[in-house]
Amino acid sequence: MKRAIFPGSFNPLHEGHIDIIKRAAHLFDELYVAVSINVDKQNELSLNDRFLQVQEKVKLLNLNNVVVIRNSTLTIKCAQEYKCNYIIRSLRNTEDFNYELNIAQAHHDMDNSIETVLFFANSELAHKCSTDIRAIEQKLDNFNKNLNK
């Protein structure tokens, strides 16, 4: 059985993530979407709140082989726990490539039985970035607060 894990902070989950989930679901028998903690990122929402949001959105996709899980450990440890043979990662540009290469090499060093599979973003969605989405949401929030003064 081919099991894969797609880790991410998903803060927020956006169309680019959803596209990767759909594409990966067609290639693997089981896909675990692991809502994770990234110590390098500031998350507005708690792990549990992000998990609930992702779970709700993924449920709407009606993909029977996709399960949303919480992950508060290293991705490789989570992959081992769920007996995953593959870790799904995605690339939007060359900057992502260098970052993902380092992560894939680290995962391989920790457990060479688990392969990293890279998905390239669809060109229509390559501009989607959770950081940018959060920045826009913050600006809209600030704008609305100023309107109500």
Side-chain angles (χ1 to χ4, degrees):
M1 180 168 286
K2 294 186 292 185
R3 290 187 183 104
I5 186 170
F6 179 35
S9 55
F10 305 115
N11 185 35
L13 181 77
H14 56 68
E15 294 91 346
H17 297 132
I18 290 170
D19 180 60
I20 300 298
I21 291 167
K22 287 178 182 177
R23 290 165 53 198
H26 291 292
L27 293 178
F28 298 97
D29 300 312
E30 293 178 5
L31 175 64
Y32 295 94
V33 177
V35 181
S36 304
I37 296 170
N38 183 335
V39 296
D40 295 328
K41 294 182 179 179
Q42 293 278 22
N43 290 309
E44 302 276 324
L45 299 174
S46 69
L47 177 63
N48 193 57
D49 288 341
R50 287 183 286 119
F51 165 78
L52 293 172
Q53 284 185 352
V54 171
Q55 189 177 47
E56 183 179 312
K57 289 181 181 180
V58 169
K59 186 177 182 180
L60 297 173
L61 302 176
N62 293 316
L63 298 169
N64 295 330
N65 62 332
V66 178
V67 177
V68 179
I69 60 173
R70 290 176 196 85
N71 176 36
S72 58
T73 187
L74 293 174
T75 297
I76 199 77
K77 298 289 184 193
C78 188
Q80 291 166 337
E81 179 183 343
Y82 284 88
K83 298 177 177 35
C84 294
N85 316 89
Y86 305 94
I87 297 173
I88 304 299
R89 304 292 297 182
S90 62
L91 300 171
R92 294 169 299 188
N93 52 43
T94 55
E95 287 177 36
D96 284 354
F97 178 80
N98 291 327
Y99 178 78
E100 295 299 336
L101 178 62
N102 289 329
I103 290 176
Q105 289 172 334
H107 287 155
H108 186 267
D109 290 345
M110 289 184 268
D111 187 337
N112 64 10
S113 71
I114 299 174
E115 292 292 338
T116 299
V117 177
L118 298 174
F119 281 77
F120 292 91
N122 280 333
S123 58
E124 304 87 33
L125 301 172
H127 67 283
K128 296 287 183 181
C129 173
S130 295
T131 302
D132 293 343
I133 292 169
R134 283 193 313 276
I136 291 167
E137 287 173 348
Q138 182 64 47
K139 287 178 183 180
L140 285 172
D141 188 47
N142 290 342
F143 178 76
N144 288 333
K145 285 178 184 175
N146 286 330
L147 276 180
N148 295 329
K149 284 185 178 181

